[in-house]
Amino acid sequence: MPWPQELRMLKKVRHHCRIEYWLAGLLFAGAAAMLIYALLTFLAAPFSWLLPWRLPAALMTAGAGVAAIWRTLPGDVEIARRLDRDLASQERVQTLVENSGGQGVILQELRRETKTFFSRRQPKYRLDKKRFIPPALLTGAAAVILILSIVFTPRLAQSLALRQELLEQQQEAAEKIEEIIQLLPENPLGEELAAELEALKEEALRLTEPSEFETLLRETLELLEAGGEQAEAVESALAELLASMEMSPEELAQAAADPEFAEQLAEALNNLAQALPQNISLAETLGKLAENPSAADAGQWQQVQEQLAGLDPAAFRESLSKAAQAAGLTGNRPGGQGSGSGNSEPGSGEGQGSGNGEGQGSGNGEGQGSGNGEGQGPGNGQGQGSGSGQGQGGQGSGQGQGAGAGTGSAVPSPSQYVYIPGEGEVILAGKGEAGEYTLRELLPNNPGLVDDYADFFSGYRRQALSTLGRSQIPRPLADYVRSYFEAIAPQGGK
Amino acid sequence: MDLQLIDKLGRVKEEIGRAMVGQQEVVDLTLTALLAGGHVLLEGVPGLGKTLLARTLAQVLDISYNRIQFTPDLMPSDITGTNLIRAGRDEFEFHPGPVFASLVLADEINRATPKTQSALLESMQEGRVTVFGETHDLPRPFFVIATQNPLEMEGTYPLPEAQLDRFLFKVLVPYPSLEELREIVTLTTGTSQVEIQPLMTGPEILAVNRLAREVPVAEKVLEYALKILVATHPGNALATPGVRQYVQVGASPRGIQSIILSARVTALLAGRFNVSFADIEKVSLPALRHRLFLNFEAQGSGISPDAIIAEILAGTERG
Ligand SMILES: Nc1ncnc2c1ncn2[C@@H]1O[C@H](COP(=O)(O)OP(=O)(O)O)[C@@H](O)[C@H]1O
Ligand SMILES: [Mg+2]
């Protein structure tokens, strides 16, 4: 339907209405395009391949918007209604447009009368400001979102990358520990350590700060070291015990009747029981046996002998150093972790040896001894053992004695012990004239404090972190707890 | 030429105004109803000029006029007429009653019995009268102006709802203002007599009615009227809270016919050739107020149909 001839004078106003509609529509289309651009910018934080598609997508959206405006462009009747409203023409225009093809006296009159109506008052275009409010608001909001997306996306991407890195770091640490666990032998010593390492592995998956990983690795190393120490202790106690028990179970049962031997046996048994981790059953068995060795029968002795054979501290120790190497821990061992108890006497070691002699009828005895030296600390103790055997006619029973010589400088430098929680110096209140003194001053004379604290710290921390992992507490609070532990962590020579 | 009639309409109004002081709305609506071919129920206390208006209209339009005073003893045949035997002949001859006039004023219609009322209302509806099996056409045009007293008095028979529906408009006649009263006194108690000039004829009225039916109604304007009508139906989604609470039965389709037809005449009377939203709004009240039947709650709380229609008009969007 063409615009009625009689309404020629309204053509200009009609044109303005169309332009107004276009403008409002373009605002909408622009807002949609900006929103799409912003959306893709945000999405590009994890999916960076989206970046080059932003502009094409925004342009396509704008194009679709223009097409939509074109399709929904108001028709003549709609514009006529709008004009009737604006011009207070009492529905003349829409009636005329709706009946533009019609005939009849009244329609003719309507055309004539409408013409006179508009000849009396000039039709004036009034901008429909209200129509621009929603698109203008939307466009403004879209622009803000667009700016935000451009400003914040790099940071978002960065934090996503950091998060990814953290996950990888957690995974890596856990894998490292798992590797160590796999290398441990399947005996009570190995299993005991494996359980502790397992706990560390779980902890690794909960860490958030790089410094925490450092602490964790340090703890792992400490565990390994402690394992090594224990293995050494077990090894020497075991050698001593085995030396005493070098006979058949029946003979052993008989020999134990001798109170002197029984006492010797009880001491050796107790030594090994002390050296073993307390919570393994062998330690308990040995402890019980030591209470009254003479009461044990041959069967019990045989059982003990079998169990002792299963304990292979040397292999365990070896696997520990292998594990530490395999996990690449030895190379980057955090410095200055002075753990160890050293003898304060320089240059003296204690050696224990057990020797087996084999004798031959010729009367020549050959003895072999193996000795262990103790001496730890920054100085390494070395033990050497020498055994001498005696042979008796055709039978090779030998006894060996070993003497070990240990070397090492057993006094650690004070700085290696000094840990300073956090940044500052810890002031301890003293008594009498001494007044206040610092931990730094205290430590050289009380090196054991460090070990205690390190043990205390790692247990405390593990407990706290595993509790954090189990409970639902807000992240900032969890971080707060973590930072607390970082602050009180024993520090090496940093 | 038909169109000159439309110019005459303005002069008709002026001429009525010479005899009738004020009551512009009543005059307009009554004239509108007559030109639309509908009947009017005027409600007002006695003495407000209802009879004067009917008589004046008959004079200006130059049509036959009868006034029937309704009383309890009025019989149907007193209205319609009856068959009488003519002296000297042995056949019945129909003797037409007062309803046979182009403009019938049924004064105080609610004072007659329902039977008598319905005799008038049936002839109003059908445009003819049946007596002893014989039908007699009423003159064309045929208009009834009925009046009733708003006070429910002893011995009155309120018009049943179905009968009310037959009136195009129900118009309330208000009291004149002080100024109007002054004018009325001057006009009627002096020596001069107002001579009313006949300006139109019966056939011309019918022609105006035909023209009015041609007046176009825009889509949105019709939609507006329809929305108003359905809003009177308590079950409809467009019903206002007042309708839901107080209306028992809403307006029938006769309501929308009345609105559109009278709005067309209103446009013509205003010298326009299309129906506007304002035309619809103007006729909605007289066309609908007697078609809403309110429940007891409304009667108890003094709610009038006018208040409910006003609520509907305020709540109905144009376009
Ligand atoms: N609006 C009016 N204009 C002129 N005269 C009026 C008007 N209202 C009342 N009158 C006077 O009052 C008289 C009584 O009016 P009438 O038409 O008989 O009243 P109704 O029929 O309503 O009872 C009229 O004859 C007239 O003289
Ligand atoms: Mg009267």
Side-chain angles (χ1 to χ4, degrees):
Chain A
M1 249 185 280
W3 189 251
Q5 191 61 23
E6 314 77 53
L7 297 177
R8 265 195 321 271
M9 62 287 185
L10 295 184
K11 271 195 160 167
K12 211 164 140 193
V13 189
R14 184 179 72 141
H15 192 62
H16 286 148
C17 283
R18 286 237 164 105
I19 290 174
E20 181 190 297
Y21 187 87
W22 268 108
L23 284 178
L26 286 176
L27 276 178
F28 271 122
M34 281 195 274
L35 284 176
I36 288 289
Y37 193 93
L39 179 71
L40 290 184
T41 306
F42 276 128
L43 285 179
F47 308 111
S48 55
W49 54 269
L50 281 173
L51 279 175
W53 290 99
R54 290 180 301 175
L55 196 61
L59 290 178
M60 263 159 62
T61 308
V66 170
I69 302 168
W70 184 257
R71 281 235 325 261
T72 58
L73 214 54
D76 283 345
V77 175
E78 256 167 90
I79 291 188
R81 284 174 192 151
R82 159 84 190 279
L83 293 181
D84 274 332
R85 245 193 328 268
D86 284 1
L87 307 173
S89 45
Q90 295 193 287
E91 291 68 68
R92 285 175 173 91
V93 182
Q94 55 186 292
T95 311
L96 246 183
V97 171
E98 279 177 24
N99 295 281
S100 67
Q103 299 293 320
V105 191
I106 291 289
L107 280 181
Q108 262 169 21
E109 280 307 294
L110 174 58
R111 289 182 187 121
R112 181 192 55 73
E113 198 265 345
T114 304
K115 233 175 176 171
T116 6
F117 177 84
F118 282 116
S119 67
R120 268 182 280 134
R121 67 202 80 187
Q122 204 52 45
K124 232 179 75 195
Y125 167 72
R126 272 213 324 252
L127 181 76
D128 184 0
K129 286 185 196 125
K130 264 194 262 163
R131 135 169 269 161
F132 284 95
I133 293 174
L137 284 180
L138 191 69
T139 309
V144 170
I145 291 173
L146 182 65
I147 290 167
L148 288 183
S149 78
I150 290 168
V151 170
F152 283 106
T153 304
R155 287 187 214 183
L156 190 65
Q158 204 177 0
S159 81
L160 283 176
L162 276 179
R163 169 139 191 83
Q164 187 58 36
E165 201 179 311
L166 178 69
L167 283 177
E168 278 166 16
Q169 222 171 347
Q170 288 177 345
Q171 214 57 47
E172 195 188 330
E175 272 166 21
K176 235 181 219 179
I177 296 173
E178 179 59 33
E179 204 179 333
I180 297 171
I181 292 173
Q182 291 305 324
L183 282 166
L184 294 177
E186 282 180 25
N187 62 27
L189 289 174
E191 278 156 20
E192 176 66 19
L193 185 59
E196 285 181 66
L197 287 171
E198 201 67 54
L200 276 186
K201 191 179 91 181
E202 271 166 37
E203 193 189 321
L205 296 174
R206 290 194 288 267
L207 299 184
T208 57
E209 295 297 321
S211 62
E212 284 183 313
F213 286 101
E214 232 170 74
T215 308
L216 184 84
L217 289 183
R218 203 155 62 217
E219 277 176 16
T220 309
L221 247 181
E222 273 168 30
L223 267 182
L224 291 181
E225 254 164 32
E229 276 163 33
Q230 189 162 43
E232 277 171 22
V234 169
E235 206 173 340
S236 75
L238 182 62
E240 194 187 328
L241 180 61
L242 283 178
S244 314
M245 287 170 62
E246 192 67 24
M247 54 191 89
S248 70
E250 291 77 17
E251 285 171 330
L252 201 52
Q254 270 182 353
D258 172 20
E260 204 176 316
F261 183 63
E263 201 180 317
Q264 187 193 340
L265 210 50
E267 200 190 326
L269 281 168
N270 259 333
N271 283 343
L272 182 55
Q274 296 288 309
L276 284 171
Q278 292 308 298
N279 48 354
I280 70 173
S281 65
L282 182 58
E284 204 182 328
T285 313
L286 294 177
K288 272 197 192 136
L289 208 52
E291 282 168 21
N292 193 2
S294 51
D297 60 23
Q300 271 174 300
W301 285 116
Q302 188 178 3
Q303 235 181 329
V304 170
Q305 276 178 334
E306 274 164 17
Q307 286 189 30
L308 290 180
L311 207 59
D312 192 353
F316 175 62
R317 210 146 56 96
E318 207 173 303
S319 71
L320 283 186
S321 68
K322 248 195 259 168
Q325 262 167 6
L329 285 177
T330 43
N332 58 1
R333 174 190 164 158
Q337 185 68 12
S339 85
S341 64
N343 261 326
S344 50
E345 283 171 56
S348 91
E350 262 188 304
Q352 285 182 338
S354 73
N356 291 317
E358 255 185 323
Q360 284 181 343
S362 67
N364 283 322
E366 269 186 321
Q368 288 182 334
S370 72
N372 288 318
E374 268 188 306
Q376 286 168 343
N380 287 316
Q382 280 182 328
Q384 286 177 339
S386 68
S388 67
Q390 280 185 335
Q392 283 178 355
Q395 269 203 337
S397 82
Q399 284 187 331
Q401 287 181 333
T407 58
S409 67
V411 179
S413 75
S415 70
Q416 282 175 305
Y417 285 128
V418 174
Y419 69 93
I420 298 166
E423 295 290 297
E425 185 74 272
V426 176
I427 311 288
L428 302 170
K431 280 182 186 161
E433 276 183 18
E436 288 179 345
Y437 50 88
T438 66
L439 212 49
R440 199 186 289 276
E441 291 160 350
L442 190 66
L443 274 166
N445 300 319
N446 300 275
L449 273 182
V450 178
D451 261 359
D452 288 351
Y453 182 74
D455 284 351
F456 159 78
F457 170 78
S458 59
Y460 182 28
R461 177 167 172 275
R462 205 165 311 148
Q463 197 80 33
L465 292 188
S466 71
T467 309
L468 278 187
R470 276 198 308 275
S471 43
Q472 297 276 322
I473 77 165
R475 248 207 82 164
L477 277 182
D479 287 347
Y480 186 61
V481 174
R482 290 176 191 289
S483 65
Y484 165 72
F485 280 101
E486 280 309 301
I488 65 163
Q491 286 181 333
K494 278 186 191 174
Chain B
M1 177 56 202
D2 284 349
L3 286 171
Q4 286 159 349
L5 292 176
I6 289 159
D7 298 334
K8 268 196 200 171
L9 291 174
R11 283 168 41 217
V12 166
K13 271 203 277 184
E14 271 170 40
E15 193 65 17
I16 297 170
R18 287 181 55 228
M20 189 81 188
V21 176
Q23 302 290 19
Q24 200 54 55
E25 175 96 349
V26 178
V27 173
D28 272 3
L29 289 176
T30 307
L31 188 61
T32 302
L34 298 193
L35 292 172
H39 311 289
V40 179
L41 177 62
L42 295 181
E43 188 173 277
V45 295
L48 293 181
K50 299 188 287 290
T51 308
L52 175 70
L53 172 62
R55 202 175 53 231
T56 314
L57 267 173
Q59 287 169 349
V60 176
L61 301 177
D62 196 19
I63 49 180
S64 54
Y65 167 71
N66 271 334
R67 173 174 175 274
I68 310 171
Q69 176 63 50
F70 278 52
T71 54
D73 56 357
L74 191 72
M75 301 298 287
S77 58
D78 294 337
I79 295 171
T80 58
T82 189
N83 283 352
L84 297 175
I85 299 177
R86 269 272 168 110
R89 294 200 201 163
D90 55 350
E91 60 180 26
F92 288 107
E93 191 176 284
F94 179 66
H95 187 82
V99 77
F100 284 84
S102 275
L103 177 54
V104 176
L105 175 66
D107 230 349
E108 295 182 273
I109 190 170
N110 51 352
R111 291 191 59 204
T113 59
K115 201 175 174 184
T116 309
Q117 289 173 355
S118 63
L120 173 74
L121 293 159
E122 271 166 44
S123 45
M124 264 165 63
Q125 180 68 25
E126 276 147 38
R128 64 171 91 96
V129 166
T130 305
V131 177
F132 292 114
E134 252 181 80
T135 58
H136 306 275
D137 283 337
L138 292 167
R140 301 225 324 121
F142 173 69
F143 306 122
V144 173
I145 296 179
T147 75
Q148 74 178 18
N149 198 307
L151 309 169
E152 288 276 320
M153 289 184 300
E154 194 78 21
T156 59
Y157 305 90
L159 285 176
E161 287 141 23
Q163 310 282 34
L164 279 175
D165 208 18
R166 301 197 168 145
F167 290 97
L168 186 85
F169 280 168
K170 176 180 174 181
V171 179
L172 307 184
V173 186
Y175 284 105
S177 68
L178 191 83
E179 275 315 305
E180 287 165 352
L181 272 177
R182 189 196 305 279
E183 243 186 277
I184 291 169
V185 172
T186 330
L187 189 71
T188 55
T189 57
T191 45
S192 62
Q193 272 295 144
V194 180
E195 263 300 315
I196 294 298
Q197 204 67 36
L199 291 174
M200 265 192 160
T201 63
E204 282 176 340
I205 292 169
L206 293 175
V208 171
N209 183 269
R210 274 195 305 275
L211 275 181
R213 286 166 186 271
E214 272 184 56
V215 172
V217 185
E219 228 172 276
K220 286 284 168 188
V221 176
L222 177 60
E223 203 178 299
Y224 176 60
L226 291 168
K227 281 198 260 181
I228 291 172
L229 190 94
V230 295
T232 67
H233 300 158
N236 195 281
L238 291 174
T240 58
V243 171
R244 286 173 209 275
Q245 194 178 354
Y246 298 118
V247 176
Q248 198 179 336
V249 181
S252 72
R254 273 191 188 139
I256 191 70
Q257 291 170 345
S258 304
I259 290 177
I260 294 300
L261 193 54
S262 53
R264 286 177 151 143
V265 175
T266 305
L268 279 187
L269 279 173
R272 236 182 316 105
F273 297 89
N274 70 293
V275 177
S276 70
F277 289 121
D279 295 333
I280 299 285
E281 192 171 356
K282 183 176 177 189
V283 298
S284 287
L285 198 57
L288 292 180
R289 62 158 64 100
H290 54 301
R291 300 180 209 267
L292 297 190
F293 299 101
L294 308 186
N295 56 23
F296 287 116
E297 194 186 344
Q299 285 157 30
S301 16
I303 302 289
S304 68
D306 283 25
I308 287 170
I309 294 166
E311 185 193 48
I312 292 174
L313 290 177
T316 306
E317 261 182 70
R318 299 169 166 202

